[in-house]
Amino acid sequence: MTTRKVRIGSMEIGGGNPVAVQSMCSTKTKDVKKTVAQIRRLQEAGCEIIRCGIPDMESAAALSKIKKDIKIPLVADIHYDYKLALAAIEHGADKIRINPGNIGSVEKLEAVIKAAKKAGIAIRVGVNSGSLKENAAFKLTHRSGNGRADRMVASLMESLGFFEKNGFRDIVISLKSSDIITTIDAYKLAAKYTDCPMHIGITEAGTELGGIIKSSIGLGVLLYSGLGDTLRVSLTAEPEKEVYAAYRILGALNLRRRGVEIISCPTCARTEIDVIKLAHRVEEMTMNVDKSLKIAVMGCSVNGPGEAREADIGVAGGRGIGLIFKKGIIIKRVPKNDLLKVFGSELNKLLKSRD
Amino acid sequence: MTTRKVRIGSMEIGGGNPVAVQSMCSTKTKDVKKTVAQIRRLQEAGCEIIRCGIPDMESAAALSKIKKDIKIPLVADIHYDYKLALAAIEHGADKIRINPGNIGSVEKLEAVIKAAKKAGIAIRVGVNSGSLKENAAFKLTHRSGNGRADRMVASLMESLGFFEKNGFRDIVISLKSSDIITTIDAYKLAAKYTDCPMHIGITEAGTELGGIIKSSIGLGVLLYSGLGDTLRVSLTAEPEKEVYAAYRILGALNLRRRGVEIISCPTCARTEIDVIKLAHRVEEMTMNVDKSLKIAVMGCSVNGPGEAREADIGVAGGRGIGLIFKKGIIIKRVPKNDLLKVFGSELNKLLKSRD
């Protein structure tokens, strides 16, 4: 689906632009120093848009200071109090995220729209299945077969109608439920009604492992269906992991590539080294590599290098020794205990040659 | 899609049965003691069908001994040598998995089919994008728009034709490529041609994290589309993790539930405890719980218990103290340092009450 283009600071999303990767700070926004430090780490990791929670006026005021020291667009996350939205806009937010279901009266929403329009910034209209109006005025002509998803979309469309009536079109939408199926159904249905770019994500996804599984499925199904202009993988983990997982998801679907892809054989009866440990260590050592690289970790020396011919560099176990190979050709045989160290230095050489 | 029913030992897959969870041993199959021990751990974790690699005759002979000491159906994984298939059948395999692309001549395949038929066991026909015939005799009338996927399905259908001609119908199919999109396209296309139950999985998925992401997306898209009768999450990790991830994927799609679902808030400016660490510890302590249970780990005491009302039990942080709650009602306030210990004993009480 081709969505309309919306500008967020220096980024443009929608309209066929690559899916943009977002994250959210876990610091107290009013702690400018810590927040800036976290955002800088996230920038390094490939985060392209960053959101901060604005629970109070002090946090809103911090935005202008934070903005000075970061490179990526800054989004203010607002709940309940429209005055926080106005303050965030005043202090230079590049976009604000509101949930029309909890922002209060029509007059308050109008004030926020007016301020955003004057500042020339976008608004994310984030509908949440937990805070829906009972009876939205918008009547659906298509349905998803999922009552909750239908109600979310009706509620979204009613809000969008209000924004349009106020002449405001720089809108990004999101439809969140902690149930994956409802989330997917809602986005698919919404795509029949609006061309606003979609911010996709699974809310309250859970711990690192469980959250990654839920997010990979939910985002995977949506992206495979051609939906999603920007995404956040929401994890109970360091935000850098959210960014890392986001690029892995986009890479798996051949949509974007950043960093290392590790190909590793599942262990089998032929394995001659501890592939699990080795692959894990290689993954750790390459987590922050921003160049696009394929690395293989193979269990046996007989088939390893050959099977992993497409890998830029790889390691394979053998009886008593380890092999390092590039594009299927063995370049070094080293004692097993030195394998990781020698691999590390060969990898660094390879990375430098690509600078 | 409703597929035909196929029996694998004591299990029945296809025809509307719940999606069965498989794994594969990482032990040497001929090491009966280690293999049995691993399969027993996998049974405990919820594995319903187990596969072992058969690289030599000693491994094939081990099957009859292994079978005596396990409860779940045992599948023999065969490559290259049809004599290994015949030996595995002779030694009691409940199903064999072959790749028609590497098993050799038509006569050899015929001998395997005949032996399986006589033993009354099923065969998985596993097509792999890496070992396809150049020009399959089967002509496709539908196409996927993905040349590789089309060739995989043409190759599969040619093989299935051969099985049918030999009066053999107890077939499970798989179509594997390390590219997720190709895998999905191939299964979707195959569903237009055959009602054989589908074994789904992503091959060479990679390390734990990367592999879980790839598998979650690939399996997620297929299961969401209604495809898949049995699955393996293939990881470079302990096989128990494959089973754990499999149930997480099925649970996220509301298809099956086993074990604990953890709901945890992403950390934000309001968080009063280390939610990441706490959620991680709770996940570790509940990894082997086989009862279906929802557990919440929330950062703040103000909204925590209320927002996680649907959780059977949960913990939330507060200023200096921690809360334990059930179904939204606070049952204990404890010093932060005791939180995990007290939670553990409350959880045990809850589990015992459900015995």
Side-chain angles (χ1 to χ4, degrees), chain A residues 28 207 214 236 261 264 269 283, chain B residues 28 207 236 261 264 269 283:
Chain A
K28 310 257 179 218
T207 53
K214 280 195 200 172
T236 305
E261 183 182 356
S264 55
E283 184 169 51
Chain B
K28 310 258 178 216
T207 52
T236 305
E261 182 184 354
S264 56
E283 184 168 51

Side-chain angles (χ1 to χ4, degrees), chain A residues 254-266:
Chain A
N254 304 330
L255 290 171
R256 294 186 70 177
R257 219 168 266 296
R258 182 196 163 89
V260 161
E261 183 182 356
I262 295 173
I263 307 166
S264 55
C265 63

Side-chain angles (χ1 to χ4, degrees), chain A residues 26 28 179 184-185 206-207 209-210 212-214 216-217 224 236-237 244 248 254 261 264-265 267 269 276 283, chain B residues 26 28 179 184-185 206-207 209-210 212-214 216-217 224 236-237 244 248 254 261 264-265 267 269 276 283:
Chain A
S26 61
K28 310 257 179 218
D179 181 64
I184 295 169
D185 289 345
T207 53
L209 182 58
I212 283 176
I213 290 175
K214 280 195 200 172
S216 299
I217 298 173
Y224 179 81
T236 305
Y244 182 76
R248 287 293 182 115
N254 304 330
E261 183 182 356
S264 55
C265 63
T267 50
I276 297 176
E283 184 169 51
Chain B
S26 60
K28 310 258 178 216
D179 180 65
I184 296 169
D185 289 345
T207 52
L209 182 58
I212 282 176
I213 289 175
K214 279 195 200 173
S216 300
I217 297 173
Y224 179 81
T236 305
Y244 182 76
R248 287 292 181 117
N254 304 330
E261 182 184 354
S264 56
C265 64
T267 51
I276 297 176
E283 184 168 51

